Amino acid sequence: MSNASPPLVRARGVSKTFGAHRALDGVDLDVSRGEVLCIIGPSGSGKSTLLRCLNQIEKPEAGTIRIDGELAGYRQKGDTLHELDDRAVARQRLACGMVFQRFNLFHHMTVLQNVMEGPVTVLRRRKGEVRAQAQKLLARVGLSEKAGAYPAQLSGGQQQRVAIARALAMQPKLMLFDEPTSALDPELVGEVLGVMRDLAASGMTMIVVTHELGFAREVADRVVFMDAGRIVETGTPGEVLGHPTEQRTRDFIAAVL
Ligand code: ADP
Ligand code: MG
């Protein structure tokens, strides 16, 4: 396998403690380009903390994370590592788009302005070009006709689709989703999962924390089960969801279904 392309995400021995509590305990994870990885596991097992470390919202106290070969938080010079300043970390963070359980849109801006904001103010791209791209993204998430609306005028499902378009507007290398449908009324879950399914089919690399096992079964290339800050089991959806080898995985799946 020497000619295989290196993984887009490579995490090794990532640990994170809050006070006396070990939220992540030596996590190793590789994600290939174009791969869709679903992370499942009970509440408190460290799923969000893992995504937050990948996106450098949290800083692990041990382990390394590489995104597209770049060491998160550091610059390597020979054998020595230099810690990056906030500005350089902010630049690295642009590699990951993130969508949270809560939509976090800018409420005083229209849908179109929400999608344009990052590329214009952070990337300093030209407004005309950004507007055209934002309109394409809104079409892609099925919200062209809502471009001029304000977030408060949209359903939760529509707001979450705007949040996805807004993340994509930054042209990230991978997308992280943290329970993107957990806060939605049940009848709105499908439209958000549909957009995510299309995104997966387009070749986007995605890490999705979700309790939607049907989505994981259909869309994921690989499923990871976490418990107590560790990856307990990993495999294809058929393996992890259909024939889990660990008792903890079986108990969790039985409880979610
Ligand atoms: P999950 O997303 O799987 O529900 P989390 O990653 O949110 O789990 O949390 C893992 C553990 O770390 C939990 O016990 C949680 O209470 C704890 N934790 C997460 N973030 C913080 C924080 N900022 N401060 C203190 N404890 C935290
Ligand atoms: Mg969480």
Side-chain angles (χ1 to χ4, degrees), residues 18 21 23 42-50 58 179:
F18 296 107
H21 182 77
S43 180
S45 57
K47 307 179 301 293
S48 295
T49 304
L50 178 57
E58 301 282 2
E179 300 197 34

Side-chain angles (χ1 to χ4, degrees), residues 1-7:
M1 296 284 278
S2 58
N3 58 350
S5 74

Side-chain angles (χ1 to χ4, degrees), residues 146-223:
K146 297 291 184 188
Y150 285 87
Q153 298 170 303
L154 305 182
S155 72
Q158 290 171 331
Q159 289 186 48
Q160 197 60 310
R161 287 188 279 150
V162 175
I164 294 171
R166 189 178 59 171
L168 291 174
M170 298 299 278
Q171 301 177 319
K173 291 178 179 172
L174 80 154
M175 287 282 287
L176 309 175
F177 293 87
D178 195 356
E179 300 197 34
T181 60
S182 296
L184 298 176
D185 292 332
E187 74 272 20
L188 304 177
V189 168
E191 65 190 61
V192 174
L193 294 181
V195 165
M196 292 169 61
R197 188 176 288 120
D198 291 346
L199 189 58
S202 79
M204 176 60 79
T205 308
M206 296 165 57
I207 304 179
V208 184
V209 173
T210 187
H211 295 305
E212 296 288 338
L213 301 190
F215 176 83
R217 192 172 287 114
E218 269 179 60
V219 181
D221 297 301
R222 213 147 46 93
V223 175

Side-chain angles (χ1 to χ4, degrees), residues 45-66:
S45 57
K47 307 179 301 293
S48 295
T49 304
L50 178 57
L51 289 194
R52 292 162 65 86
C53 286
L54 293 176
N55 196 22
Q56 300 193 62
I57 303 171
E58 301 282 2
K59 194 172 158 52
E61 58 286 312
T64 56
I65 292 167
R66 284 180 189 276

Side-chain angles (χ1 to χ4, degrees), residues 102-116:
R102 293 267 159 212
F103 331 117
N104 307 324
L105 296 177
F106 305 120
H107 285 275
H108 59 293
M109 292 183 191
T110 66
V111 163
L112 185 67
Q113 287 167 341
N114 264 277
V115 179
M116 291 177 63

Side-chain angles (χ1 to χ4, degrees), residues 94-164:
L94 296 174
C96 301
M98 187 139 176
V99 176
F100 301 88
Q101 186 171 336
R102 293 267 159 212
F103 331 117
N104 307 324
L105 296 177
F106 305 120
H107 285 275
H108 59 293
M109 292 183 191
T110 66
V111 163
L112 185 67
Q113 287 167 341
N114 264 277
V115 179
M116 291 177 63
E117 178 67 11
V120 170
T121 63
V122 180
L123 304 181
R124 306 212 171 277
R125 290 174 47 202
R126 282 179 40 244
K127 257 195 176 165
E129 163 200 317
V130 171
R131 182 177 294 109
Q133 182 209 8
Q135 281 160 341
K136 276 193 198 139
L137 285 169
L138 287 176
R140 195 163 156 192
V141 301
L143 289 173
S144 291
E145 74 286 4
K146 297 291 184 188
Y150 285 87
Q153 298 170 303
L154 305 182
S155 72
Q158 290 171 331
Q159 289 186 48
Q160 197 60 310
R161 287 188 279 150
V162 175
I164 294 171

